[in-house]
Amino acid sequence: MKRTITLTVNGAPRSVEVEPRALLALVLRDQLDLTGTHIGCDTSQCGACTVHIDGRAVKSCTMLAVQAEGHAVTTIEGLAAKDRLHPLQQAFWDKHGLQCGFCTPGMIMTAADLLAHNPKPSEAEIRHALEGNLCRCTGYQNIVAAVQLAAGAR
Amino acid sequence: MIPTSFEYVRAKNLSDALKAMGKNTKVIAGGHSLLPLLRFRLAQPDMLIDIGQLRELKGIKRSGGGLKIGAATTYRELLESKELKALYPLIAEVTEHIGDLQVRNAGTIGGGLAHADPAADMPPVMLVLDATFVLQSKTGKRSVPARKFFKGPFTTALKPNELLTEIQLPALPKGVGTAYASFEQAASGYALAGAVALIAIAKGLITRADLAFTGLGDAPFLAPAAAKLVATTGDASLIDQVAQAAVAGVEANDDVHAPAAYRLHLGRVAARRALTQALAQAQRPG
């Protein structure tokens, strides 16, 4: 049975009618039109759907929308200040940290959680933090370089 | 896939949650074991009871020389606890290997233990540390030693109306060393074979030696062979013998990821490494 839930999405309160079984990733994409959150697998492995719940990176395909009721969700669309790229977005651009770009929103949301709690991570710490985000293009090298650049830029 | 339909209630407190538990209900906290099952429709509950918000199930408290950990404490919260790191560095070390950053942000220690994946990292830690689990239902609570909790694959001592609410860790002896060594399936990160060791030393001799495995069989298990180390100094050849004896006769899982003989080989190597590292740690001054 559908119910109305209220949550904060990218700083704004939103109400949305969902079934309890609706995955947060699908509600964000299909009902709130936030298609920057990607879905790349069905097994909680690829990390493309990573968003922040109360500032912490979570795979939104492995969370029910009803679980997010009352919480603050940040998607890739809500990361940057108005008309300036977030330092991580700029760094991914500058370091060629993406090719097809499918994994990029999830990579950036995970990296943002890492940098918020560990502003100067080592290369090994960056690789460990990004363990739950898969990229099939880059070989990760430039993704790591981008996170390092963003860490330096903060 | 989308899960089948179910009702959802967010419990306001623990007794609320316990009252709601019944036939074909499932409890959800972090949901990182349950949601994958729901999505593959391997679990089709009529109702989900959300306990993820319950403060009374969260947190890490001192208790005697040990700790009490609320079952809904996330892996992330475990890693952020200085007390946990100081008293049980083994748990912090193993937690860092569970899932990935996002999974650790959401997944809970109690959820993972109650799920009882036979290749999970944390259950053998609980065996070696001799933890006690508090199980509660609307009619009361009981304590079950971790050593009697894991019954088989995804099967535990929990009754359908019982909830794991707290993990109690006893104080460790002085001069103790602990270690985890594992070989992981590359894609899933689950252990093909993992070994946890605890060694305590007094006056140069081993006073306690515990060894437990994960990934090898239907459930994590303690290896009685570790007792052979007690009252010795634990030299390398004895550790090797113990590691060998610990896996001898074990009926190991045999699947596409690793044939049984290979799994036992990995188990022996993991056991040797974990015992060696635990001993070295126990021997370290201070």
Side-chain angles (χ1 to χ4, degrees), chain B:
Chain B
M1 257 193 322
I2 312 280
T4 52
S5 289
F6 47 75
E7 288 298 308
Y8 169 91
V9 286
R10 192 180 276 194
K12 288 181 194 72
N13 52 52
L14 178 58
S15 82
D16 207 31
L18 295 174
K19 272 185 219 143
M21 287 175 75
K23 206 168 161 252
N24 215 17
T25 62
K26 277 275 179 191
V27 168
I28 187 166
H32 273 54
S33 300
L34 183 60
L35 263 162
L37 294 181
L38 291 173
R39 282 192 318 197
F40 284 120
R41 303 197 170 187
L42 293 169
Q44 304 192 357
D46 295 329
M47 185 193 276
L48 281 196
I49 303 155
D50 191 347
I51 57 164
Q53 327 274 331
L54 297 183
R55 296 238 141 257
E56 53 202 304
L57 292 179
K58 282 184 172 287
I60 298 169
K61 285 187 300 238
R62 279 249 186 195
S63 167
L67 286 182
K68 291 181 173 180
I69 302 175
T73 306
T74 64
Y75 296 118
R76 171 80 171 248
E77 288 159 353
L78 293 181
L79 289 172
E80 286 172 349
S81 162
K82 291 196 177 75
E83 249 173 357
L84 183 90
K85 207 165 249 175
L87 287 177
Y88 304 97
L90 173 66
I91 296 184
E93 179 194 334
V94 169
T95 302
E96 196 64 66
H97 284 277
I98 292 175
D100 50 50
L101 180 141
Q102 296 97 309
V103 170
R104 292 189 292 272
N105 279 346
T108 65
I109 182 168
L113 292 170
H115 183 59
D117 189 299
D121 298 309
M122 197 60 88
V125 171
M126 295 294 132
L127 299 185
V128 156
L129 295 178
D130 200 11
T132 299
F133 297 159
V134 179
L135 315 186
Q136 274 183 259
S137 71
K138 66 181 175 195
T139 54
K141 67 163 108 173
R142 62 185 178 125
S143 295
V144 173
R147 294 176 178 188
K148 293 191 171 160
F149 181 77
F150 301 100
K151 303 288 189 192
F154 310 103
T155 309
T156 68
L158 278 165
K159 294 185 184 131
N161 65 343
E162 276 182 327
L163 184 68
L164 169 58
T165 55
E166 189 174 75
I167 293 113
Q168 300 176 337
L169 300 165
L172 291 180
K174 280 190 180 146
V176 75
T178 51
Y180 181 51
S182 75
F183 296 91
E184 294 178 348
Q185 204 277 329
S188 74
Y190 276 93
L192 292 172
V196 178
L198 178 151
I199 288 182
I201 291 188
K203 294 178 187 146
L205 290 180
I206 293 173
T207 54
R208 175 177 159 189
D210 283 313
L211 176 67
F213 289 102
T214 188
L216 288 185
D218 282 350
F221 63 93
L222 280 172
K228 285 184 199 154
L229 288 165
V230 174
T232 75
T233 54
D235 63 88
S237 74
L238 184 59
I239 283 180
D240 209 20
Q241 279 173 42
V242 166
Q244 177 97 45
V247 297
V250 169
E251 219 171 284
N253 296 331
D254 188 300
D255 59 30
V256 64
H257 301 303
Y262 180 54
R263 262 208 168 78
L264 289 180
H265 171 74
L266 294 180
R268 183 169 64 83
V269 175
R272 190 179 65 215
R273 288 183 187 172
L275 287 167
T276 305
Q277 206 186 320
L279 179 66
Q281 207 185 87
Q283 286 167 335
R284 238 180 5 218

Side-chain angles (χ1 to χ4, degrees), chain A residues 3 19-21 26 42 44 50 56-57 59 61-64 66-67 69 71 110 113 117 128 132-133, chain B residues 1-3 5-6 8 10 28-29 32 35 39-40 48 53 76 80 96 100-102 104-105 187:
Chain A
R3 59 166 70 202
E19 276 191 75
R21 62 174 171 165
L26 289 171
D42 208 13
S44 314
T50 301
R56 303 205 149 170
K59 294 178 178 178
C61 76
T62 310
M63 184 167 183
L64 301 168
V66 287
Q67 285 179 284
E69 180 163 24
H71 292 275
T110 306
D113 184 358
H117 298 92
H128 182 56
N133 292 79
Chain B
M1 257 193 322
I2 312 280
S5 289
F6 47 75
Y8 169 91
R10 192 180 276 194
I28 187 166
H32 273 54
L35 263 162
R39 282 192 318 197
F40 284 120
L48 281 196
Q53 327 274 331
R76 171 80 171 248
E80 286 172 349
E96 196 64 66
D100 50 50
L101 180 141
Q102 296 97 309
R104 292 189 292 272
N105 279 346

Side-chain angles (χ1 to χ4, degrees), chain A residues 26-111:
Chain A
L26 289 171
V27 171
L28 290 172
R29 288 177 56 81
D30 298 346
Q31 289 180 260
L32 297 173
D33 290 331
L34 293 166
T35 52
T37 297
H38 292 169
I39 299 174
C41 75
D42 208 13
T43 50
S44 314
Q45 277 167 322
C46 81
C49 66
T50 301
V51 301
H52 290 185
I53 306 290
D54 302 330
R56 303 205 149 170
V58 170
K59 294 178 178 178
S60 61
C61 76
T62 310
M63 184 167 183
L64 301 168
V66 287
Q67 285 179 284
E69 180 163 24
H71 292 275
V73 182
T74 307
T75 68
I76 188 72
E77 290 92 340
L79 197 61
K82 232 178 180 177
D83 48 8
R84 249 181 92 212
L85 291 178
H86 183 274
L88 271 163
Q89 291 171 315
Q90 188 63 52
F92 269 68
W93 184 329
D94 293 343
K95 285 287 172 186
H96 197 55
L98 61 138
Q99 287 175 29
C100 87
F102 194 88
C103 71
T104 314
M107 286 285 176
I108 288 179
M109 295 312 285
T110 306

